[in-house]
């Protein structure tokens, strides 16, 4: 635990503060939910270890995987209570393993095989027979420690498997469903590591997970566009007369920025909804929702560049994020 706390201290010491302010084009508020109009104004292979690591080695493996592949999730996990921290590492590492699969394969069949490995791994874990793979072993410990709900883990696998197809989301609702079954499910499990089983917390987690899924889709757009792929909701693209080719060519015209604005606004709406009933959410649940800080940071940045999804500033790691996460944690807000 001391090592994790040391990592947290180092991470928190990186920088000092972020600002959020109004811009000429504001994100839509909660009252505009569902409107797609503009106002007038991120698993690779289940790499089995050659030999089973020791206790510290398994935790370190998960933490290092997060640090490299889900840095924001890594920082958020460091701020969880000590008794939940290593379990959160395991859950997020499990999610990373699944998320990496789509980008690491050239044939869907290989992806299906890797998903099946993790589906069987979860079944075996609940039979107290985890495979000799560090993430699986840590996940087993987390399940034993907190009695985590099996169906959320399987739902994440099932949804990631469906998403192996290289096609755009048909509409924003399809993207939200994917986000709810992956990111929100991960938040439900994180709440369980905190000992929180509460309907209001689950409601907040659902909205935050949807916001995270939408932002993740936006952030990945430049990466995918370079590889001749576009996954943004087709209904919003069609509404503004934007084709997939426009994104592949990194077009920066107004109608393309309008597409990004509409999608980003939907993420903002979900964050506002999650916060609108924060008074009913147990304070004990708040650490699970610290990822809202990273989402807020990205939405602020994309506003600042007038929703130009290809702007270089959006690809830079925020050195101000660690301290702002710490402050939000200290204030017990999300």
């Amino acid at each position: 635990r001391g090592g994790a706390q040391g990592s947290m201290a180092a991470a928190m010491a990186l920088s000092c503060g972020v600002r959020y302010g109004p811009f000429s084009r504001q994100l839509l508020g909660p009252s505009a939910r569902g409107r797609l109009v503009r106002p007038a104004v991120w698993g690779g292979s289940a790499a089995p270890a050659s030999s089973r690591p020791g206790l510290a080695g398994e935790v370190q493996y998960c933490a290092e995987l997060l640090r490299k592949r889900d840095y924001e999730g890594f920082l958020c996990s460091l701020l969880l209570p000590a008794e939940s921290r290593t379990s959160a590492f395991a859950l997020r590492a499990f999610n990373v393993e699944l998320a990496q699969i789509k980008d690491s394969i050239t044939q869907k069949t290989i992806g299906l095989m890797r998903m099946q490995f993790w589906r069987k791994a979860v079944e075996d874990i609940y039979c107290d027979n985890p495979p000799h793979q560090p993430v699986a072993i840590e996940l087993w410990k987390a399940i034993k420690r907190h009695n985590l709900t099996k169906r959320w883990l399987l739902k994440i696998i099932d949804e990631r498997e469906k998403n192996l197809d290289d096609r755009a989301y048909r509409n924003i609702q399809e993207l939200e469903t994917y986000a709810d079954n992956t990111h929100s499910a991960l938040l439900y499990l994180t709440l369980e590591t905190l000992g929180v089983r509460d309907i209001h917390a689950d409601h907040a987690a659902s909205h935050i997970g949807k916001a995270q899924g939408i932002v993740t889709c936006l952030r990945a757009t430049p990466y995918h566009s370079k590889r001749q792929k576009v996954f943004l909701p087709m209904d919003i693209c069609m509404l503004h007369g934007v084709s997939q080719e426009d994104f592949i060519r990194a077009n920066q015209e107004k109608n393309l920025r309008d597409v990004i604005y509409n999608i980003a606004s939907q993420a903002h709406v979900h964050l506002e909804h999650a916060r609108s009933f924060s008074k009913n959410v147990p304070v004990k649940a708040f650490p699970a929702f610290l990822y809202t800080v990273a989402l807020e940071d990205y939405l602020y940045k994309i506003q600042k560049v007038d929703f130009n999804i290809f702007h270089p500033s959006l690809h830079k790691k925020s050195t101000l994020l660690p301290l702002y996460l710490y402050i939000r944690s200290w204030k017990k807000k999300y």
Side-chain angles (χ1 to χ4, degrees), residues 246-265:
D246 290 323
F247 282 99
I248 291 170
R249 293 200 310 264
N251 190 328
Q252 296 178 24
E253 294 180 4
K254 176 181 174 296
N255 58 343
L256 188 143
R257 287 184 282 115
D258 287 344
V259 169
I260 301 303
Y261 167 73
N262 282 161
I263 298 171
S265 290

Side-chain angles (χ1 to χ4, degrees), residues 191 194 278-279 281-290 331-334:
L191 286 171
L194 294 168
S278 61
K279 290 181 180 178
V281 174
V283 174
K284 192 177 179 181
F286 285 18
F289 301 152
L290 285 173
K331 289 183 175 180
K332 291 182 168 46
K333 295 175 67 178
Y334 67 85

Side-chain angles (χ1 to χ4, degrees), residues 149-224:
T149 303
K150 179 181 176 182
R151 69 187 173 94
W152 295 127
L153 295 167
L154 293 176
K155 188 177 284 286
I156 294 170
I157 296 171
D158 290 343
E159 197 67 28
R160 293 281 189 190
E161 183 175 274
K162 290 178 192 174
N163 202 46
L164 289 176
D165 292 319
D166 274 345
R167 67 171 183 82
Y169 298 100
R170 288 173 293 184
N171 48 52
I172 191 73
Q173 290 77 23
E174 190 172 84
L175 172 54
E176 288 175 333
T177 297
Y178 169 76
D180 197 33
N181 289 332
T182 52
H183 298 290
S184 299
L186 188 65
L187 286 175
Y188 301 148
L189 289 162
T190 305
L191 286 171
E192 290 183 353
T193 71
L194 294 168
V196 176
R197 295 173 190 260
D198 175 86
I199 189 170
H200 300 295
D202 286 350
H203 196 179
S206 177
H207 283 293
I208 293 168
K210 288 174 183 175
Q212 186 176 348
I214 293 169
V215 167
T216 299
C217 185
L218 288 173
R219 293 174 76 168
T221 294
Y223 169 83
H224 289 135

